[in-house]
């Protein structure tokens, strides 16, 4: 039995189990940690945002990939 961790609301994966919520909250906590770490070493707002946005996009890509692969209606051939 395959338990779906996410359900797709359009193209956005929404958590539908405890594991899905843990993945989402871990991603948010990691993004906040990265922002604080980057902000402590940068000298201007643009330095902070340029480095943070790149890391945020990578974090979101991993979340979307996990959400798509573990959703109930993912359409990958098996």
């Amino acid at each position: 039995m395959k338990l779906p961790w996410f359900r797709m609301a359009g193209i956005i994966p929404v958590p539908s189990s405890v594991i899905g919520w843990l993945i989402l909250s871990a991603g948010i906590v990691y993004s906040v940690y990265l922002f604080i770490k980057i902000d402590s070493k940068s000298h201007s707002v643009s330095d902070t945002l340029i480095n943070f946005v790149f890391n945020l996009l990578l974090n979101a890509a991993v979340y979307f990939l996990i959400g798509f692969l573990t959703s109930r209606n993912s359409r990958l051939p098996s």
Side-chain angles (χ1 to χ4, degrees):
M1 181 176 155
K2 184 176 180 182
L3 178 67
W5 296 348
F6 294 91
R7 64 178 172 81
M8 298 300 285
I11 61 169
I12 300 173
V14 179
S16 63
S17 72
V18 175
I19 297 173
W21 284 106
L22 287 174
I23 291 171
L24 176 63
S25 55
I28 292 171
V29 168
Y30 184 65
S31 294
V32 170
Y33 167 75
L34 276 178
F35 181 80
I36 293 170
K37 182 179 175 185
I38 291 169
D39 190 45
S40 69
K41 294 182 179 184
S42 63
H43 300 288
S44 67
V45 175
S46 63
D47 287 343
T48 301
L49 291 179
I50 288 171
N51 293 319
F52 176 67
V53 168
F54 177 72
N55 287 309
L56 186 66
L57 289 174
L58 287 175
N59 194 8
V62 169
Y63 173 76
F64 276 88
L65 181 66
I66 292 171
F68 177 74
L69 293 176
T70 61
S71 68
R72 180 175 307 149
N73 53 354
S74 64
R75 293 180 173 87
L76 287 179
S78 48

